Amino acid sequence: MKNIILLVFVLLLILACKKDDKSIEIAVSKFAKIEQLKWLKGNWENVTELEQSFEHWTQENDSTLLGHSFTLIGTDTVFAEKVTLKQNGDDVYFTVIAYQQNNDQPVTFKMRDSKKGIFTFENPEHDFPTRITYSNPTQDSIHAWIEGSVNGQKRKVDFLFKRSD
């Protein structure tokens, strides 16, 4: 009788462990899309003779990355924005607040593509840009660009950063 009870206990223990493994597996895969963007975490810069641009990314939780970027010309801040990259279900959203633009209100772009390390977010309702793309061409670099139309003319602006931390 003791052997049967011991056998049942061991079987229950094995089943419980397998259940925990699956729940861990589900938790990891639940945010697989945002996992692909975690290479952004850290400090990035693009310094030229004319201007200095900086980006800083942190991880808030399993589903969210937070970014802050700004550009200086001399000692004047000419651009600054706060970004939230968040996975909600199967979708990833890039929400940006660009200070002194859009009445400091957030604008959200939805991830459309993520091919070969290139991540594209779109919002066709926004004036400019309608598309924001981030890529990681080499381990310690970011190539980002924004696209859209200005006065009926297609426009693309590139941003190149290198890791600074």
Side-chain angles (χ1 to χ4, degrees):
M1 182 69 169
K2 287 183 181 179
N3 287 341
I4 293 175
I5 292 173
L6 183 59
L7 180 61
V8 169
F9 178 75
V10 170
L11 286 173
L12 288 174
L13 185 60
I14 290 170
L15 290 173
C17 288
K18 285 187 177 185
K19 182 179 180 184
D20 286 343
D21 288 346
K22 285 185 178 185
S23 64
I24 290 169
E25 192 176 299
I26 290 168
V28 169
S29 65
K30 183 176 180 182
F31 299 111
K33 289 183 178 180
I34 203 77
E35 280 286 326
Q36 296 176 31
L37 288 157
K38 287 187 179 175
W39 58 268
L40 284 168
K41 292 189 309 184
N43 296 307
W44 303 86
E45 65 181 19
N46 181 2
V47 178
T48 67
E49 286 183 25
L50 298 176
E51 63 185 32
Q52 302 171 21
S53 297
F54 303 93
E55 280 199 15
H56 175 73
W57 289 90
T58 58
Q59 184 172 350
E60 181 176 70
N61 55 43
D62 290 343
S63 66
T64 307
L65 297 174
L66 300 175
H68 181 262
S69 66
F70 62 97
T71 299
L72 301 172
I73 294 180
T75 58
D76 293 328
T77 302
V78 296
F79 176 79
E81 67 182 2
K82 181 173 73 170
V83 178
T84 302
L85 262 172
K86 182 170 185 67
Q87 183 172 341
N88 187 359
D90 287 337
D91 296 319
V92 177
Y93 298 95
F94 185 104
T95 301
V96 61
I97 298 173
Y99 304 111
Q100 299 180 351
Q101 294 181 23
N102 303 305
N103 296 318
D104 293 336
Q105 295 300 305
V107 178
T108 299
F109 298 77
K110 184 177 180 181
M111 189 164 76
R112 297 293 182 204
D113 288 324
S114 60
K115 298 176 185 173
K116 297 180 183 177
I118 299 173
F119 303 89
T120 301
F121 304 87
E122 292 182 343
N123 179 342
E125 304 301 317
H126 190 250
D127 54 1
F128 182 85
T130 54
R131 180 179 296 149
I132 299 170
T133 303
Y134 270 77
S135 69
N136 186 218
T138 62
Q139 182 178 0
D140 290 327
S141 69
I142 292 175
H143 177 204
W145 59 93
I146 57 175
E147 299 174 87
S149 293
V150 176
N151 298 324
Q153 299 290 323
K154 288 189 178 194
R155 187 168 173 207
K156 179 181 177 187
V157 181
D158 290 288
F159 303 93
L160 301 170
F161 292 90
K162 66 179 182 174
R163 188 173 295 280
S164 64
D165 55 0

